[in-house]
């Protein structure tokens, strides 16, 4: 299956995409994770993206487009879940054209809905394993005690000012992408509030619907 998990930062896209990867073998493609790895490695892409990511702004489209397309090509155009791409209408157009060119259209887009107050709590208490990209939450999913402390960090863009900036960027630039897919009949909205298992159950129901529509 080829799907996009959509929604504002902190809505649980990354956690659910990882669960889909572990349970169903869909490859998790996160432009955010790819960018953070490039920044840590000090590559040319990382250097170009660093100031945008740190301040919560969108990285220039041409950079993420190449990263996303390379990642989709690398997994063979099938069985992937995109997380964090597309984030603008322009990116949604690029993705559609790219997948059409490879005869691999999306099965659908799942939009996770979570109120802003819960998002801010999730992001401010989020911690990340810098090695694996795995996300933790200080209350609901604390980092394992045996992980070395220097592997668990708070993302620079999960600090208060950057969170507000990212929510504004989402509203201004990314939210319109939801309407773009809704108009095409590709969008399914689900409630993203609840335990990981509850949300996973809702996603599974949508995936079954996508599959039976093929
Ligand atoms: P994420 O891990 O998805 O929250 O992404 C972290 C940051 O990476 C974002 O705040 C942006 O700075 C950058 N980023 C990730 N994906 C994209 C994208 N599709 N377009 C532009 N910037 C992106």
């Amino acid at each position: 299956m080829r799907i996009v998990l959509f929604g504002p930062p902190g809505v649980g896209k990354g956690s659910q995409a990882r669960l889909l990867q572990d349970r169903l073998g869909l490859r998790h493609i996160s432009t955010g994770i790819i960018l953070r790895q490039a920044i840590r490695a000090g590559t040319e892409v990382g250097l170009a993206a660093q100031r945008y990511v740190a301040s919560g702004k969108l990285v220039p489209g041409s950079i993420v487009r190449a990263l996303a397309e390379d990642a989709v090509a690398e997994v063979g155009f099938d069985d992937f879940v995109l997380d964090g791409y597309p984030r603008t209408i322009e990116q949604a157009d690029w993705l559609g054209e790219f997948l059409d060119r490879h005869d691999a259209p999306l099965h659908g887009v799942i939009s996770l809905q979570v109120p802003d107050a819960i998002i801010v709590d999730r992001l401010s208490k989020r911690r990340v394993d810098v090695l694996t990209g795995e996300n933790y939450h200080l209350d609901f999913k604390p980092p394992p005690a045996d992980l070395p402390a220097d592997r668990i960090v708070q993302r620079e863009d999960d600090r208060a000012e950057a969170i507000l900036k990212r929510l504004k960027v989402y509203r201004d630039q990314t939210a319109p992408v939801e309407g773009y897919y809704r108009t095409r009949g590709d969008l399914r909205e689900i409630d993203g509030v609840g335990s990981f298992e509850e949300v996973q159950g809702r996603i599974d129901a949508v995936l079954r619907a996508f599959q039976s529509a093929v």
Side-chain angles (χ1 to χ4, degrees), residues 29-114:
I29 299 176
S30 156
T31 40
I33 291 179
I34 298 170
L35 286 167
R36 283 188 290 282
Q37 283 168 348
I39 291 168
R40 274 172 58 77
T43 65
E44 202 176 318
V45 163
L47 290 174
Q50 209 275 335
R51 66 197 163 98
Y52 298 97
V53 174
S55 64
K57 290 191 190 141
L58 293 187
V59 170
S62 55
I63 296 181
V64 278
R65 176 188 193 176
L67 296 178
E69 293 186 0
D70 287 353
V72 170
E74 198 185 315
V75 307
F77 296 95
D78 212 357
D79 290 329
F80 62 80
V81 47
L82 278 168
D83 153 21
Y85 188 88
R87 258 175 156 98
T88 61
I89 300 274
E90 183 180 45
Q91 292 179 13
D93 277 335
W94 287 337
L95 178 65
E97 286 161 20
F98 175 68
L99 294 179
D100 282 348
R101 260 204 317 278
H102 293 90
D103 211 11
L106 288 175
H107 289 81
V109 175
I110 303 177
S111 171
L112 297 172
Q113 313 278 320
V114 172

Side-chain angles (χ1 to χ4, degrees), residues 12 15 37 39 71 73 147 179 187 197 212:
S15 303
Q37 283 168 348
I39 291 168
L147 277 187
L187 188 83
E197 294 73 20
S212 55

